[in-house]
Amino acid sequence: MPENQTAIPFWKRKSLEEMTPAEWESLCDGCGWCCLYRIEDEESGAVFTTAVACRLLDLKTCRCKDYPNRFEKVSTCVRITPETARTYTWLPETCAYRRLALGKDLPDWHPLITGDPRSVHRAGASALGRAISELGVDLDDLENYILTEE
């Protein structure tokens, strides 16, 4: 690879499919939005994000408490792939996976740019302070926890 190419960040020179597993994982900004329950209006198809978070979401860091085993522990855990990044329209517009899938760049506050994993929280782009654990919540009442904005 030409020397000047190495100065270009991987997310600007590789497609989602070309990224290594480590590069792919580093795209996650730790916002926690994908760990919140959603409900869909069956008539309109509209999807609403609730404040109710998966029991594995650490509400103080917006990171999974058991990331390596999340799919075994939570059957409804969502796997983000290059294909789903293109089709999950419920992912927030700030999500790096969605942004790159749509041909956009990372936001200025993204941890890959700032070098600080807390920058997503300082930018107000995370679920920090907005999410509650699913533990103790009647999941049949999710409509009572719909967030009006993300």
Side-chain angles (χ1 to χ4, degrees):
M1 178 181 313
E3 193 172 318
N4 61 349
Q5 284 291 309
T6 59
I8 300 172
F10 72 88
W11 64 88
K12 290 186 178 188
R13 60 182 158 79
K14 291 184 174 184
S15 71
L16 295 177
E17 290 81 5
E18 293 172 326
M19 292 180 189
T20 67
E23 289 169 337
W24 177 262
E25 292 295 325
S26 72
L27 291 177
C28 177
D29 59 26
C31 71
W33 289 117
C34 62
C35 299
L36 301 183
Y37 277 82
R38 286 168 178 71
I39 53 177
E40 182 176 357
D41 182 309
E42 292 181 16
E43 291 181 21
S44 70
V47 177
F48 300 94
T49 302
T50 73
V52 181
C54 167
R55 67 184 173 276
L56 293 181
L57 185 68
D58 182 325
L59 299 177
K60 294 180 182 161
T61 64
C62 288
R63 291 287 185 173
C64 185
K65 294 177 192 173
D66 194 2
Y67 191 77
N69 302 304
R70 67 196 185 281
F71 297 117
E72 290 79 31
K73 291 190 172 185
V74 178
S75 64
T76 57
C77 185
V78 177
R79 184 182 306 267
I80 308 294
T81 66
E83 179 58 31
T84 61
R86 292 180 181 96
T87 59
Y88 286 168
T89 56
W90 52 262
L91 287 170
E93 291 183 16
T94 56
C95 174
Y97 299 113
R98 182 173 183 202
R99 291 182 65 85
L100 294 178
L102 295 174
K104 298 179 180 178
D105 199 359
L106 298 181
D108 291 341
W109 50 257
H110 193 282
L112 283 173
I113 295 172
T114 65
D116 181 359
R118 296 176 311 252
S119 59
V120 63
H121 307 308
R122 279 198 304 280
S126 75
L128 186 68
R130 301 176 199 182
I132 61 170
S133 174
E134 70 179 304
L135 300 176
V137 171
D138 183 347
L139 298 181
D140 290 331
D141 293 332
L142 283 176
E143 66 275 357
N144 295 329
Y145 299 93
I146 292 174
L147 294 171
T148 54
E149 59 181 84
E150 291 182 9

